[in-house]
Amino acid sequence: MNSPIIPFLIKGYLRFNKQQPFISVSAILAFLGVCVGVMVLIVAMALMNGFDKEFERKLFVMNYPLTMFPSYLEKIDKQTLESLEINFPDLKFSPFIQTQAFSKMGQRLEGAIVFGVDFQKEALINSVFAKAYEDAQISYQQIQQMPYIPNTFDVIVGEGLKEYYGLQYQSNLLLIFTNAIPNAMSIAPTIKRFNVNGFFDSGLIAYDRGYIYTTLESLAIIKNMDKDTYDGIHIYSSNPQKDILLLQEQYPQMKIIGWWEQNGNFFAALALEKRALFIVLMLIILVASLNIITSLLMTIMNRRKEIALLLTMGASIQEIKKTFLYLGNLIGISGMLCGCIFAAIILFVLSNFSVISLPADVYGSSKLPLELSLIDLVSIIGGSLIIIFLSSYYPAKKAVQMDPLQVLRNE
């Protein structure tokens, strides 16, 4: 504002107009509309991004950053594992044997994916399993008064399966494997009773009821596999998108899958939902900006004589144009700033107080996950500023498209 007349006019136009109260009410509604729109948009984006990151963190752990599988003509054995540890010392590896089974307790039956793993190696790459393994060691030490060494047919199951069957520490769990054993009369499934020695909690019910961890030796016996051969190797990497290329280059005969490839459709759906929500909520700000246009146009129509007098007395077209441009921007930007402040207050309250509690078995967390990314915040503020500027520019341009002499002659 390089002219003293501009702030003087803005102050006058911002005063409540008793003769035409609807003009002031329209400006107030524009302010409130932008404020509420920005506030809701920021909170919604923080929630969407929070859920996205929460699921990403959980799936990153339970699906493993990278998984190596053998190709049709190849196999993965102890030599492959040693080669990986030598060539990629910065990565962590856990060999596994995998099969499907049914768990049975009484009359209840539940499908499961059973992983045979080296408990110590698995604990290094899976924080959820590591916590369960640590608890199992503590429980065993308290009961047996000696260090815990996993027995061949020990299992660690999820909290969901524990609640479903009412399992306790040292309970017996019957597993019915899909590996069939032919006998004289028919083909019978492999059935084995395992000893429950620990419980993990991933926060996702699908994994807590569907994953079971046991030792490599037990599944090797059940699947009749050669010693030191595996179905695959789980790989931990802090930068899996980069390391998958290096691993694939070093081991072209193997198939390597990243965790994002196993859940591509899920995250694509989340991204689409987030974009759709952003567009829909941005329309709230767009609708609120119509009140800015309405308020400014009504002010211009009500002040036509005053604007004509100013132009004839020496006020420039640019000064009049800037007056209404700044007036619209002041209403919109002040509403946007208030919306940001209210959004920050709401996010602070939701983050630090248990205002809303979620079912953990559905959403993976009992607390609202909130994480507002800088890109989302910049997009919201940038989009709002563009809408506010365009809403102010049109009335400001119309304000100077008049003939002052014709206006004064008619009025």
Side-chain angles (χ1 to χ4, degrees), residues 142-209:
Q142 290 174 345
I143 296 174
Q144 303 294 339
Q145 300 298 316
M146 63 177 63
Y148 174 56
I149 300 176
N151 294 319
T152 301
F153 294 101
D154 280 356
V155 291
I156 292 179
V157 302
E159 289 287 340
L161 204 63
K162 174 187 175 182
E163 294 177 3
Y164 184 66
Y165 287 140
L167 297 173
Q168 296 180 354
Y169 186 72
Q170 296 292 318
S171 293
N172 288 326
L173 180 64
L174 187 69
L175 293 184
I176 306 171
F177 294 91
T178 55
N179 303 79
I181 300 176
N183 55 36
M185 301 296 294
S186 63
I187 297 177
T190 303
I191 302 175
K192 179 64 182 176
R193 196 172 296 276
F194 285 76
N195 185 44
V196 178
N197 251 16
F199 306 96
F200 67 86
D201 184 8
S202 70
L204 296 174
I205 190 65
Y207 297 108
D208 288 350
R209 286 182 65 166

Side-chain angles (χ1 to χ4, degrees), residues 225-244:
M225 293 179 63
D226 295 334
K227 184 179 180 181
D228 294 332
T229 59
Y230 319 114
D231 286 336
I233 298 177
H234 290 140
I235 305 170
Y236 178 83
S237 166
S238 57
N239 190 1
Q241 283 86 355
K242 176 184 176 183
D243 289 329
I244 191 173

Side-chain angles (χ1 to χ4, degrees), residues 321-339:
K321 190 174 182 179
K322 286 182 179 180
T323 297
F324 289 98
L325 182 64
Y326 292 159
L327 179 61
N329 285 337
L330 180 62
I331 294 172
I333 293 175
S334 60
M336 184 189 70
L337 292 176
C338 284

